[in-house]
Amino acid sequence: RVGDFDIVGPLGKGTFGVVLEGRTTNSGQWWSVKQDRVAIKTLEKKRCCRSPARTKLTLNEMKMHKLLMGTASGEHSNLVHVRDMMQSHTHVYVVMSMGACDLTQYTNTTRKRNFLHQTRADKEICKGVLKGLETMHSYFKAAHMDVKMENVLIK
């Protein structure tokens, strides 16, 4: 359990920690609302702060997450919505809205679909990724340092 979120299981692993699937609960009852699925990025403090360079990277990422928390979720629709941040003695937790799937999962399940339809969808996904990166660059003055298919979430 992390804050008000129950851990469902792992979603992925990164350099400094893991990403877990979580769900909000209401008096111990699972909510059936899809929006209550969240991704919880779990960063181990001892791994993030082994060197001044790693500490700086981690602090910059946390700064970005705090900026995203201060914006309305619809304001930057091509960026993940950060719902909460918290920490323990050993970890930092970033709670984010969760997409239906990531780009790797999406491409694996849509390869057999109509080519023309898929090409249009691919263009929309590319436009969304580029809009998100442009927003990070122009609005937040930041560059995404880990662009990969697993970090592109599909609604």
Side-chain angles (χ1 to χ4, degrees):
R1 189 162 175 85
V2 175
D4 294 332
F5 304 93
D6 286 327
I7 303 302
V8 176
L11 289 173
K13 188 172 181 166
T15 305
F16 302 123
V18 297
V19 179
L20 305 168
E21 180 179 351
R23 293 183 193 237
T24 57
T25 58
N26 182 13
S27 304
Q29 300 294 318
W30 288 109
W31 288 12
S32 60
V33 181
K34 197 173 187 177
Q35 295 91 298
D36 292 309
R37 290 179 62 218
V38 294
I40 303 170
K41 187 173 192 173
T42 306
L43 302 170
E44 286 184 70
K45 287 181 179 179
K46 67 179 180 181
R47 295 182 82 190
C48 297
C49 302
R50 282 188 184 152
S51 70
R54 280 189 176 185
T55 301
K56 184 176 179 181
L57 281 172
T58 302
L59 290 174
N60 284 340
E61 182 177 348
M62 293 303 108
K63 185 176 170 184
M64 173 64 67
H65 287 309
K66 283 183 182 178
L67 285 170
L68 285 171
M69 275 182 66
T71 62
S73 60
E75 189 175 344
H76 304 290
S77 61
N78 298 106
L79 298 177
V80 69
H81 176 61
V82 176
R83 294 174 60 165
D84 199 359
M85 289 177 64
M86 58 200 91
Q87 63 179 317
S88 68
H89 293 295
T90 57
H91 290 80
V92 174
Y93 305 98
V94 181
V95 181
M96 300 169 276
S97 296
M98 194 166 140
C101 63
D102 65 37
L103 188 54
T104 301
Q105 295 164 330
Y106 177 79
T107 55
N108 288 339
T109 58
T110 58
R111 283 190 180 154
K112 296 178 183 175
R113 288 194 181 167
N114 178 292
F115 178 75
L116 183 58
H117 168 75
Q118 191 57 43
T119 302
R120 288 183 186 143
D122 291 347
K123 285 180 184 177
E124 289 303 310
I125 291 168
C126 286
K127 284 192 329 193
V129 169
L130 292 173
K131 283 181 183 178
L133 293 171
E134 194 273 333
T135 299
M136 286 183 67
H137 181 73
S138 63
Y139 186 81
F140 295 110
K141 306 294 185 233
H144 196 300
M145 301 300 289
D146 195 20
V147 178
K148 58 186 176 187
M149 291 179 65
E150 293 83 3
N151 287 343
V152 175
L153 303 178
I154 309 294
K155 291 182 181 179

